[in-house]
Amino acid sequence: MGDGQRAGPTPGDPGLTGMARFSSLAEKLRFQIGRDGPLPLATYMQRCLADPEFGYYTTRQAIGRRGDFITAPEISQMFGELIGVWCVGAWEALDRPDRFCLAEAGPGHGTLMADLLRVLAARPDMMRAMEVVLIELSPAMRAAQAERLEAFATAGSTVGGAIRWVDALADLPDLPTLLIANEFLDALPFRQYVKAAGGWRETGIGLNETGKLARLLLPVLADPAILPQGADREAEGSVFEHASAREAVIETVAAHLAKNTGAALFIDYGHAASGFGDTFQAVGDHRYRDPLAEPGRHDLTSHVDFERLAAAARASSIAMPRLATQGAFLLALGLLERAGALGSAKSADVQDGIRADVERLAGPAAMGDLFKVLQLTSPDLPLAGHS
Ligand code: SAH
């Protein structure tokens, strides 16, 4: 970085090879910060999630009722099934390409993909045309996905090609593409800025007087171009978050769709309009945690700024990015009808469970309003789910 800020060492930092092993990520980070100076929050987050030795996603099976947090596909099969319905509509709107790629970024335990493929199985013409590509960094998660999707990936299954994995979105094949990403963007690092006396400064992670990890402000001023309107009128202590890594994902996908045609859905918690506020959070064992306690032990995320993402999509040639709340999206795709069918002739207990799942996925007090669904298509396609 040429702005006078001291970047932390990267995981491959030659200065660390051959050194005594660390027993925890906290110890490793304290050593590096003591040696090289504070890290930007984004680097801290990246290290906590992806450190090859101690990172959260590299070492843990995090998601699910027994894991640290629960996601929509883990709540109910209806979520993945309705996204399967959306996929069928998108493939038809693209004039049924006879070869296409169905991609998922950050597939977790593979649950969404399994539920979705069950819906697609009713369309052998689509299954034959399809190549499934999963974008996943973590070897532990890849193993979980392979196990969950085994039935679809074996020879003789109806999926056209075997399921394969790539490291990054840039590795997607040049084919018409349907891409799904549920709770993927929130896991990508973001920078945080705080209004201080002399202007907006970036949040960093350093050491306090007792040698513990602590938040501090880095000396650098924020680039005014990334600050939203009204930033200069904000009171001291006000917080703004910006995630260029998330915008880069949107730009990569937009360029891929523009080149190959297709459609993408990004589903995550966040705000439809950019705003101020600290949304950095750690979740472990279904509770909020201190993001600086036990680095690598908890999931670290922040809310997604969908206004910035839609702007990034527009700037990358997506004519009309569409945004809906998760509740509106799922209802438009037939959540209530699917729930009715699933509960028909079942016990009252099972029906109550399905009703509770509907409420959790689509109810405004649960995930329905907080979660948003951003749809990108090229060419512009009006698809079910976004009015
Ligand atoms: N979509 C799943 C999982 C969400 S958790 C669900 O809804 O249950 C985030 C997922 O993204 C995990 O599988 C994690 O290993 C993966 N991931 C995080 N950062 C990534 C990156 N930079 N590249 C690829 N995958 C990543």
Side-chain angles (χ1 to χ4, degrees):
M1 274 174 228
D3 51 10
Q5 183 177 318
R6 300 176 71 187
T10 55
D13 180 4
L16 284 178
T17 47
M19 250 177 20
R21 296 186 74 79
F22 297 100
S23 63
S24 69
L25 184 56
E27 199 185 310
K28 195 166 169 181
L29 289 171
R30 282 199 301 268
F31 173 84
Q32 291 174 6
I33 291 170
R35 188 189 62 179
D36 301 323
L39 306 171
L41 180 62
T43 310
Y44 173 78
M45 179 174 177
Q46 182 65 18
R47 297 293 305 279
C48 290
L49 295 181
D51 183 88
E53 210 179 349
F54 300 111
Y56 181 75
Y57 283 119
T58 26
T59 60
R60 289 174 190 276
Q61 295 273 326
I63 312 156
R65 286 183 208 270
R66 282 188 308 278
D68 286 315
F69 58 97
I70 189 154
T71 55
E74 304 293 335
I75 290 173
S76 167
Q77 68 187 74
M78 293 185 287
F79 187 78
E81 289 170 348
L82 292 173
I83 292 185
V85 170
W86 178 88
C87 286
V88 173
W91 183 65
E92 298 205 320
L94 289 165
D95 289 333
R96 307 180 188 189
D98 57 10
R99 271 189 76 210
F100 77 99
C101 168
L102 174 66
E104 186 180 0
H109 288 313
T111 308
L112 191 161
M113 185 53 76
D115 293 334
L116 186 166
L117 289 175
R118 253 198 343 272
V119 170
L120 268 48
R123 293 295 304 263
D125 50 346
M126 190 173 172
M127 291 292 258
R128 271 194 302 275
M130 180 169 76
E131 183 177 315
V132 178
V133 179
L134 304 180
I135 301 120
E136 174 61 67
L137 217 54
S138 150
M141 288 292 185
R142 283 189 183 199
Q145 291 151 20
E147 199 180 318
R148 188 79 173 75
L149 297 169
E150 203 181 356
F152 297 100
T154 47
S157 93
T158 35
V159 177
I163 295 175
R164 65 187 178 91
W165 281 261
V166 296
D167 288 336
L169 288 157
D171 304 327
L172 287 176
D174 275 327
L175 289 174
T177 298
L178 303 181
L179 174 99
I180 313 297
N182 187 58
E183 291 207 37
F184 171 69
L185 292 171
D186 68 75
L188 302 182
F190 67 101
R191 289 178 184 269
Q192 193 186 67
Y193 301 91
V194 178
K195 179 82 177 280
W200 285 87
R201 284 168 53 184
E202 183 166 3
T203 303
I205 306 296
L207 302 176
N208 67 13
E209 47 302 334
T210 64
K212 285 216 168 87
L213 295 171
R215 286 198 209 201
L216 46 73
L217 293 182
L218 298 173
V220 254
L221 290 177
D223 172 3
I226 59 127
L227 295 171
Q229 276 196 343
D232 49 347
R233 291 193 302 278
E234 285 294 298
E236 250 178 62
S238 177
V239 171
F240 176 66
E241 296 172 341
H242 181 244
S244 51
R246 298 174 191 168
E247 286 167 32
V249 163
I250 297 296
E251 285 159 12
T252 302
V253 170
H256 183 81
L257 297 183
K259 181 173 176 199
N260 298 290
T261 74
L265 286 182
F266 291 91
I267 307 162
D268 230 306
Y269 43 99
H271 28 281
S274 299
F276 299 96
D278 178 359
T279 72
F280 184 32
Q281 67 182 37
V283 173
D285 202 13
H286 301 275
R287 284 169 41 202
Y288 289 109
R289 307 283 174 173
D290 173 359
L292 302 192
E294 300 183 74
R297 168 72 188 83
H298 306 310
D299 187 34
L300 301 184
T301 67
S302 72
H303 285 204
V304 170
D305 182 344
F306 281 99
E307 183 177 337
R308 296 296 280 235
L309 298 187
R314 260 184 236 105
S316 316
S317 82
I318 297 294
M320 203 193 287
R322 290 176 170 83
L323 190 67
T325 63
Q326 177 168 303
F329 175 79
L330 293 177
L331 289 170
L333 280 164
L335 177 64
L336 298 181
E337 295 77 359
R338 182 68 194 121
L342 208 56
S344 111
K346 299 276 166 50
S347 71
D349 272 2
V350 171
Q351 290 179 349
D352 284 348
I354 293 170
R355 260 192 293 277
D357 291 344
V358 167
E359 195 52 40
R360 205 156 165 202
L361 292 174
M367 300 172 86
D369 278 356
L370 175 61
F371 280 70
K372 314 284 190 297
V373 185
L374 175 66
Q375 176 186 285
L376 312 182
T377 62
S378 184
D380 186 38
L381 303 170
L383 299 176
H386 288 82
S387 50

